[in-house]
Amino acid sequence: MRWRAYGEHAALLDCASLTESMAAHATVTSARPPGIAELVPGARSLLVVEIPGSGALAAVRELLADADLEHPPEGGSREITLDVTYDGEDLELVARDAGMSTEDVVRLHTGAVYTVAFTGFAPGFGYLTGLPEPLRQPRLAAPRTRVPPGSVGIAGEFTGVYPRVSPGGWRLIGRTRTVLFDPRADPPAVLAPGDRVRFRSAG
């Protein structure tokens, strides 16, 4: 891990892997050192913003220097269940490339427990880890110009849900009616880093 200054009141922790980034975020979130204004995890990083004069950055540096990131704390996360209709445009493609039936794809996808590693790409879009190995497939060779909101997709080691209409290259396996981002809500995004997510087949 390596720290870099990020303005006067923030620092960016460069991590060796997604696992290390998630562990660092879980450790800081669990310890809740006072004076932190914002934590922003990424695929290989963790941005820490402090309230000016609080000394939170020094406290976080000290905390992570002594932390056992191989065994990060697990408590305190929310668990969210999303009902999904598994009729995505790429469901048969995913099944064919995985060498299984579409029913097996649904069984594997709904049988796992996922963790929101970080958010990005679009407001409310969470990158969820925990996708079973047989379902890990590359993005589409030619991304779609329009993916409907609520579309559930997979790409590489991640699964996720498109919160609004946007271009996208993930393989689509289903759709949910859950609104994942509403700027009028508090909080606006349903998913936050560290949340546990389950998918349930809606038939």
Side-chain angles (χ1 to χ4, degrees):
M1 295 189 301
R2 181 172 66 95
W3 286 98
R4 290 186 287 160
Y6 206 82
E8 294 184 15
H9 305 295
L12 186 70
L13 178 65
D14 291 320
C15 301
S17 65
L18 174 61
T19 299
E20 189 173 88
S21 171
M22 292 176 65
H25 179 264
T27 299
V28 177
T29 301
S30 178
R32 299 179 182 275
I36 294 179
E38 190 173 11
L39 286 176
V40 184
R44 301 288 187 277
S45 64
L46 178 65
L47 177 66
V48 183
V49 183
E50 70 173 357
I51 298 172
S54 67
L57 288 179
V60 170
R61 285 174 183 261
E62 183 176 350
L63 172 66
L64 292 179
D66 298 330
D68 178 9
L69 298 183
E70 295 293 325
H71 304 90
E74 297 182 358
S77 60
R78 300 182 304 161
E79 184 165 303
I80 298 164
T81 299
L82 299 177
D83 289 321
V84 176
T85 300
Y86 284 92
D87 60 355
E89 295 178 52
D90 303 312
L91 181 59
E92 292 188 2
L93 171 65
V94 169
R96 184 171 66 249
D97 284 359
M100 63 180 67
S101 67
T102 56
E103 291 79 11
D104 285 337
V105 171
V106 175
R107 178 181 55 80
L108 282 175
H109 194 257
T110 56
V113 180
Y114 303 89
T115 302
V116 182
F118 58 97
T119 57
F121 169 64
F125 188 96
Y127 288 79
L128 279 58
T129 61
L131 185 68
E133 186 69 36
L135 298 182
R136 298 183 182 186
Q137 300 183 8
R139 290 169 169 79
L140 297 172
R144 293 181 172 89
T145 57
R146 185 183 186 279
V147 176
S151 296
V152 179
I154 60 175
E157 65 184 296
F158 299 110
T159 189
V161 183
Y162 287 81
R164 63 182 183 184
V165 175
S166 67
W170 290 31
R171 298 186 178 202
L172 306 181
I173 60 174
R175 54 191 168 87
T176 180
R177 293 187 177 184
T178 302
V179 177
L180 293 182
F181 184 79
D182 181 353
R184 299 163 296 182
D186 184 22
V190 170
L191 303 180
D195 287 346
R196 303 281 184 177
V197 180
R198 292 179 182 270
F199 293 98
R200 181 170 57 198
S201 178

